[in-house]
Amino acid sequence: MRKIRAYSLYARRQRRRIRTGRPLRQRIERLAFGCSAALFAVLLALLLLAGAGYALLTTDLPTVSQVSALFDHQTGLLLQPTRFYDRSGTQLLYTLETPGYPRKYVSLDPNQPEHFSPELVRVAVGLEDPDYWQNPGFHPLALLDDQPQTIAEQVALDLLLWQEPPGLRRSLRMRLLAAQLINTYGHVQVMEWYLNSLPMGHLAYGVDTGARMYLNRSSSSLTLADAALLLAVHRSPALNPLDALAAALQQRDLVLDQLRARGVLTADEVQRAKAAPLRWNENVPPSASPALAFVHQALSQVTARLGSPRLERGGLRVITTLDYPLQQQLNCLLRTQLLRVSGHASEVKLPDGGECQSAALLPTLPPGLPALPDTLTSSGVVIDPSTGQILALAGDMSLATDGEKLLSHAPGTLLAPFVAVSAFSRGFSPASLVWDIPPASEISSSPIHSYHGPVRLRMALVNDYLSAENQLVEQIGAQNIVQQAQILGLSALQPPANGNLLNEGSPITPLEAAQGYAIFASEGKRNGQTVSGADLQPAAVLYVEDARDGQPLWDARAPQQQTILSAPLTSLVHNVLSDFTAALPSLGHPNAFEIGRPVGVKLGMAQNNQSSWAAGYTRQRVAVFWIGTNADAPIDGRAPAGLWHALMQWMHRDLPATDWAEPAGITHLDVCDPSGQRPTPACPNVVSEVFLTGSEPSTTDSLYQTFQINRETGRLATIFTPPPLIDQKTFLVVPLQARTWAAAAGLPLPPNRYDAIQPPPPSADVRIEQPALYAYVHGRVTVTGTAAGSNLRFYQLQAGQGLNPTSWLQITEQTDQLAQNSVLGVWDTTGLDGLYALRLLVVRQDQTVETAVIQLTVDNTPPTVNLLSPQAGQMLPSGAPLLLQAEASDAVGVDHLTWWLDGALIGQNDQPPFVFSWRVPPGNHTLVVKGYDAAGNESISAPVQFVVK
């Protein structure tokens, strides 16, 4: 019984233990299941992530079979150098290889006739990938390295991933492809591809080509020293035996020392290799092309887009913008003109024996023109302004050389249109008055007849009146003009150290000049292609394609466009460049720039006429030519102008003659020449001029004025001059700074002294003290003097208009009180202007009359003053001084102008032109100008608000 109870107690305890243990076990089981599920989810996520990463990594991954295709003996692209063709795609212009050293595919198999030397393979492996024969194509510890660490990786990067940007993705893809290359083709084949694809400098591609070019031997006979030299050249192509023999040998020795340090070579092998005699070629044949200077331009653009390694590796067809027939005509035209002006026979044939048709259109040279030296050189370029494409380009050609390089030259007055842009954008116009006079210090030594005095800016720009242009450059600032020209395409232009921008100027190429002039031809727009950076360049390439399947790598056939200048501003410059009437003094009529269709042209001279330019355009073509010499021989401008004439006539033989439509924002207005102001009856020459709407002159001409002269004395007539002796004459009134030149040039100047016929001696009892004789007065004029003496009945003040008044205006009532040095009366001149006589009339008791008369000029009209630059709301750059410009006129002459910036006086002009230079600090500003005439009248311009940033 006791056993039964004990067992029953045990059973209850056991059941209780089971009941209490079951939840714990269940919890443990559930926890284990949850952990397993989470681990599975993590593993699944990792697998999915890895799968997604691998998919991303292998998306668009090239196949390694492409490498085999690249080296195919029949169609392999890497065995074909890159070739450049004209725009038709049929005329070969250039092959990117060293002439005489075509590419070959060389085997690693020593049983083949053409095979790589074992020493070359030994050096390559020891130098670049010591464990090459054992590794799987990559190093596991360098998976994330951006640069290739093995030969297989280098092949994968150079031949399959050359377009991909550096980064983690490229690093992993490069190693994946390297492993596939080794796994698929083996180490021997990959090594073979590697040695056949190494760039060796001088456009040589593959070690065999480098061996033949540098050492004049095949790759199968290379020694240890040869192999070390060639692989050293591969590492530093510029240090090669042709260009830097000593440096190339030094690099070879460094390679040998590196191989010894790695245990690849013994000390004895290194010593023998360094001591081995070296045979090398001293030169290679030069590259040839009918347009080598153009090819260099196209080559630089393709290199900027695709990179030099890809371009030199080959297999590309580059279709350029070159018009091959036009290029032939340009080449033969330049050579013909060089022969003509140098005094030689000038018959030049095309390479195929055809006629140089453009040369037949050259204008006849003037008789007696001295022959220029044979060192004369010339260059030229033609572009299509609507696309920015270069159609023909010839580098600097002489009688002894072809135009291989397009060099830079001083632009001189070819910069005149860019000066015009800067001037017109600052308030000047083609009608603005400029003074072509020598500096005061050079008056005695300068040939006075070569200066033209006051001229419109239009005349100065088209005829290269240098003194006037230089004064304008000084006013605007050479730095500001250069910055404007750089925006327009003359990117290399810099301000000259001596400030003489229009005689020297930093050198530019004809291509830069053509790009700048093309903006005027295309109504302010620049057309071209973006090669590198944001600015458009003249395009030399239409497209680049794979030579095997025509797959495009770069398509530049659709031109890009940027607006550089406003249409009205561009039209203003073009109006000047197309004005052959204004150019008559320098070009004459007819001249070489007249080709029977609308054009804009400029003849430019530099370096004391040892450098001469001709630049011009139609709507369809822009052509720029340069001729120069380093000899002391001036070049007649008709030489480059003749080139321009001949080629433009030949190019346009099948093109319609089209003109430019004048845009809105241009105003035509009659002005007085040369002041550019509104005409007066005294103006002898009225011309029509063009202005930006809103900038038309509002002032009347003040250069030409009519004076009354005593014909016998030549002096200014007075009220005391007998009327029969008075003549009216119109004179050009020159400002103070031009009077010395005017006198030296024999220009008639108005007299500045009054007639010698004097009034009767003033009576002590009848006289006018104030105002003074010949004074300028306005408003209410207080007259003081004396009206005294015995038997005074009355005195009265009178005024009469003109030198000899026919009627008199009573100023005061009759007064019978004596006046001694006191106020005689007040003359209200309101509403009056011009020459007047003021008379004091004294009547005695016995009816005798005494008078005192003085001559006055009444001026109640204040000057007209307008601000031209800056313009309202204009935003200007800080740093350089700003050019402030105003115009002012007055019936009797402007005495002076004062400039007020933000309420403070900053300067004064005492004579025209009213231009003031001031360094304005950044911020918002208000500018006004105040004008004063000789009578004391004052006027103020409308305030102009502008911003300096």
Side-chain angles (χ1 to χ4, degrees):
M1 190 67 179
R2 189 178 295 136
K3 290 181 179 181
I4 293 174
R5 283 197 302 269
Y7 175 79
S8 182
L9 180 61
Y10 171 79
R12 285 195 303 270
R13 291 177 177 174
Q14 187 69 22
R15 285 194 298 270
R16 191 164 48 247
R17 233 181 348 266
I18 292 173
R19 283 196 302 269
T20 56
R22 185 179 297 154
L24 177 62
R25 188 166 53 250
Q26 289 174 347
R27 286 196 296 271
I28 293 174
E29 289 174 353
R30 283 196 296 268
L31 178 62
F33 178 79
C35 291
S36 300
L39 181 60
F40 178 78
V42 170
L43 291 175
L44 181 60
L46 290 174
L47 287 173
L48 291 175
L49 184 61
Y54 184 79
L56 179 63
L57 189 65
T58 57
T59 299
D60 298 328
L61 185 70
T63 62
V64 293
S65 61
Q66 292 180 24
V67 178
S68 179
L70 291 173
F71 287 103
D72 184 274
H73 289 248
Q74 299 297 325
T75 61
L77 294 182
L78 296 187
L79 301 182
Q80 304 177 33
T82 295
R83 293 181 171 89
F84 289 75
Y85 295 86
D86 73 340
R87 66 188 302 114
S88 71
T90 59
Q91 177 64 45
L92 179 64
L93 300 177
Y94 186 70
T95 302
L96 198 59
E97 64 179 357
T98 302
Y101 299 97
R103 299 181 181 186
K104 287 185 185 178
Y105 186 83
V106 179
S107 173
L108 216 63
D109 185 355
N111 297 317
Q112 296 295 326
E114 297 284 348
H115 64 272
F116 288 117
S117 161
E119 291 290 6
L120 176 65
V121 178
R122 181 184 177 201
V123 170
V125 171
L127 188 64
E128 304 294 348
D129 193 356
D131 64 343
Y132 172 73
W133 301 109
Q134 292 80 37
N135 68 50
F138 64 94
H139 290 158
L141 298 180
L143 286 177
L144 304 183
D145 199 305
D146 189 55
Q147 297 301 316
Q149 302 297 314
T150 69
I151 287 175
E153 290 173 0
Q154 189 70 58
V155 172
L157 178 61
D158 289 348
L159 303 186
L160 297 175
L161 299 176
W162 60 275
Q163 281 186 305
E164 293 198 8
L168 177 61
R169 184 172 185 267
R170 191 188 75 170
S171 299
L172 295 175
R173 284 159 65 89
M174 174 177 63
R175 288 170 175 90
L176 180 59
L177 288 171
Q180 291 180 8
L181 282 170
I182 294 296
N183 185 59
T184 304
Y185 295 100
H187 289 84
V188 172
Q189 181 64 79
V190 173
M191 174 60 71
E192 198 172 274
W193 287 335
Y194 173 71
L195 295 176
N196 277 288
S197 64
L198 288 182
M200 300 299 296
H202 273 280
L203 303 181
Y205 192 76
V207 177
D208 180 75
T209 308
R212 287 183 285 114
M213 182 178 68
Y214 292 125
L215 304 177
N216 198 25
R217 59 197 309 171
S218 70
S219 56
S220 60
S221 60
L222 294 176
T223 64
L224 175 61
D226 296 335
L229 174 67
L230 290 173
L231 289 174
V233 169
H234 160 63
R235 284 187 161 188
S236 303
L239 305 179
N240 62 74
L242 292 173
D243 301 322
L245 178 61
L249 293 176
Q250 184 178 15
Q251 292 298 109
R252 179 204 64 180
D253 292 348
L254 290 175
V255 167
L256 291 170
D257 291 338
Q258 187 175 353
L259 291 172
R260 178 191 173 191
R262 292 182 176 181
V264 178
L265 301 178
T266 65
D268 185 55
E269 286 177 311
V270 170
Q271 184 177 359
R272 288 199 306 271
K274 289 182 179 180
L278 180 68
R279 296 175 298 165
W280 69 92
N281 286 331
E282 295 186 357
N283 53 59
V284 295
S287 300
S289 170
L292 198 54
F294 170 82
V295 168
H296 289 324
Q297 189 71 23
L299 185 60
S300 68
Q301 292 188 3
V302 181
T303 300
R305 284 302 286 252
L306 303 182
S308 179
R310 178 63 191 94
L311 191 62
E312 294 181 5
R313 192 159 287 120
L316 303 180
R317 273 171 47 92
V318 180
I319 310 302
T320 70
T321 61
L322 188 84
D323 183 324
Y324 184 66
L326 177 59
Q327 180 68 39
Q328 286 186 305
Q329 294 296 323
L330 174 60
N331 289 344
C332 70
L333 177 65
L334 288 175
R335 190 161 296 281
T336 299
Q337 187 74 322
L338 288 174
L339 289 168
R340 294 172 79 222
V341 298
S342 301
H344 300 283
S346 58
E347 184 177 3
V348 177
K349 297 286 187 180
L350 299 181
D352 60 2
E355 295 295 327
C356 185
Q357 298 173 356
S358 60
L361 300 172
L362 282 167
T364 304
L365 293 174
L369 193 68
L372 293 171
D374 289 351
T375 56
L376 192 71
T377 55
S378 183
S379 55
V381 61
V382 177
I383 68 175
D384 181 344
S386 65
T387 62
Q389 295 173 3
I390 306 171
L391 302 180
L393 188 153
D396 287 46
M397 177 189 298
S398 70
L399 295 180
T401 62
D402 293 327
E404 295 185 5
K405 294 182 179 180
L406 187 67
L407 303 180
S408 299
H409 307 283
T413 58
L414 193 71
L415 297 178
F418 307 100
V419 175
V421 171
S422 296
F424 297 162
S425 63
R426 286 168 169 79
F428 289 84
S429 75
S432 294
L433 172 66
V434 291
W435 288 87
D436 182 41
I437 57 176
S441 60
E442 300 177 12
I443 287 288
S444 59
S445 60
S446 297
I448 296 299
H449 66 275
S450 64
Y451 293 90
H452 304 83
V455 293
R456 283 175 291 148
L457 181 54
R458 171 189 300 274
M459 301 296 293
L461 291 172
V462 299
N463 296 295
D464 284 343
Y465 295 159
L466 272 177
S467 180
E469 289 179 303
N470 286 334
Q471 291 174 36
L472 184 64
V473 170
E474 184 177 354
Q475 291 173 9
I476 298 174
Q479 178 67 44
N480 293 326
I481 295 171
V482 167
Q483 288 177 352
Q484 181 68 66
Q486 290 172 342
I487 294 172
L488 294 176
L490 278 63
S491 56
L493 186 68
Q494 296 295 325
N498 59 5
N500 195 353
L501 181 66
L502 296 181
N503 187 47
E504 298 293 337
S506 62
I508 64 171
T509 67
L511 182 58
E512 289 177 296
Q515 184 180 20
Y517 274 74
I519 292 175
F520 305 126
S522 56
E523 300 175 294
K525 296 178 175 60
R526 173 186 293 149
N527 296 294
Q529 282 294 331
T530 301
V531 178
S532 59
D535 290 335
L536 299 183
Q537 298 181 19
V541 176
L542 288 177
Y543 59 95
V544 182
E545 64 182 12
D546 188 300
R548 180 176 56 184
D549 57 13
Q551 184 71 22
L553 278 74
W554 176 32
D555 194 333
R557 281 171 284 197
Q560 298 173 301
Q561 189 175 86
Q562 295 172 335
T563 298
I564 305 299
L565 295 177
S566 69
L569 180 57
T570 308
S571 179
L572 215 61
V573 177
H574 170 71
N575 186 278
V576 172
L577 295 179
S578 61
D579 190 349
F580 286 118
T581 300
L584 280 174
S586 58
L587 297 180
H589 175 74
N591 63 71
F593 289 129
E594 295 175 301
I595 60 172
R597 62 179 62 221
V599 298
V601 294
K602 185 68 183 74
L603 185 68
M605 308 300 291
Q607 296 177 314
N608 298 320
N609 295 339
Q610 293 179 17
S611 183
S612 183
W613 297 79
Y617 55 85
T618 64
R619 286 189 67 91
Q620 300 103 328
R621 297 290 183 268
V622 178
V624 176
F625 288 93
W626 172 85
I627 293 183
T629 177
N630 54 10
D632 187 15
I635 297 173
D636 194 297
R638 284 168 287 193
L643 290 169
W644 188 90
H645 172 92
L647 196 64
M648 290 293 273
Q649 289 279 44
W650 188 86
M651 284 190 296
H652 287 82
R653 64 196 186 283
D654 297 323
L655 296 175
T658 57
D659 204 347
W660 291 263
E662 186 173 274
I666 295 292
T667 300
H668 292 257
L669 185 70
D670 285 345
V671 297
C672 184
D673 179 37
S675 72
Q677 297 173 320
R678 291 182 180 270
T680 66
C683 178
N685 186 31
V686 178
V687 298
S688 179
E689 263 294 3
V690 293
F691 301 88
L692 297 176
T693 301
S695 67
E696 305 89 347
S698 59
T699 59
T700 55
D701 175 62
S702 58
L703 274 183
Y704 287 101
Q705 297 181 26
T706 300
F707 298 85
Q708 292 180 308
I709 307 294
N710 183 330
R711 76 168 66 94
E712 291 185 348
T713 65
R715 294 185 177 183
L716 293 170
T718 71
I719 58 174
F720 311 111
T721 304
L725 298 181
I726 297 175
D727 287 338
Q728 287 194 348
K729 289 186 178 180
T730 299
F731 290 89
L732 178 68
V733 181
V734 299
L736 182 63
Q737 78 270 21
R739 289 176 187 170
T740 304
W741 164 82
L747 185 72
L749 298 176
N752 57 7
R753 298 176 62 185
Y754 283 95
D755 201 345
I757 300 176
Q758 296 295 324
S763 166
D765 294 330
V766 182
R767 64 181 185 273
I768 298 175
E769 300 287 350
Q770 291 293 333
L773 185 64
Y774 309 132
Y776 290 87
V777 297
H778 74 286
R780 293 176 61 84
V781 180
T782 300
V783 182
T784 62
T786 297
S790 59
N791 302 319
L792 175 68
R793 182 181 176 189
F794 67 88
Y795 71 86
Q796 188 176 41
L797 286 175
Q798 300 174 333
Q801 187 174 17
L803 282 179
N804 292 280
T806 58
S807 62
W808 294 89
L809 172 71
Q810 309 302 316
I811 297 176
T812 62
E813 299 294 332
Q814 296 179 359
T815 305
D816 57 5
Q817 300 297 318
L818 296 176
Q820 188 75 39
N821 294 326
S822 59
V823 175
L824 300 176
V826 175
W827 180 22
D828 187 357
T829 65
T830 302
L832 304 180
D833 279 294
L835 197 63
Y836 278 81
L838 179 64
R839 182 170 71 176
L840 170 63
L841 180 69
V842 176
V843 179
R844 306 290 179 185
Q845 294 291 344
D846 59 3
Q847 300 300 317
T848 60
V849 177
E850 295 181 62
T851 61
V853 182
I854 63 172
Q855 181 179 325
L856 300 171
T857 299
V858 178
D859 181 12
N860 282 302
T861 303
T864 301
V865 183
N866 290 310
L867 271 169
L868 299 179
S869 179
Q871 298 174 356
Q874 190 171 4
M875 189 170 294
L876 301 169
S878 63
L882 299 183
L883 187 70
L884 313 178
Q885 184 185 10
E887 63 175 2
S889 67
D890 186 76
V892 297
V894 177
D895 185 74
H896 66 278
L897 260 64
T898 56
W899 298 87
W900 299 79
L901 182 67
D902 302 327
L905 177 66
I906 60 171
Q908 177 172 315
N909 286 121
D910 294 328
Q911 56 195 16
F914 299 114
V915 177
F916 187 70
S917 180
W918 187 256
R919 194 177 294 274
V920 181
N924 298 317
H925 299 282
T926 301
L927 179 70
V928 297
V929 63
K930 298 179 181 180
Y932 303 86
D933 61 19
N937 296 299
E938 174 187 339
S939 62
I940 185 170
S941 69
V944 169
Q945 295 179 341
F946 62 98
V947 180
V948 174
K949 295 192 69 174

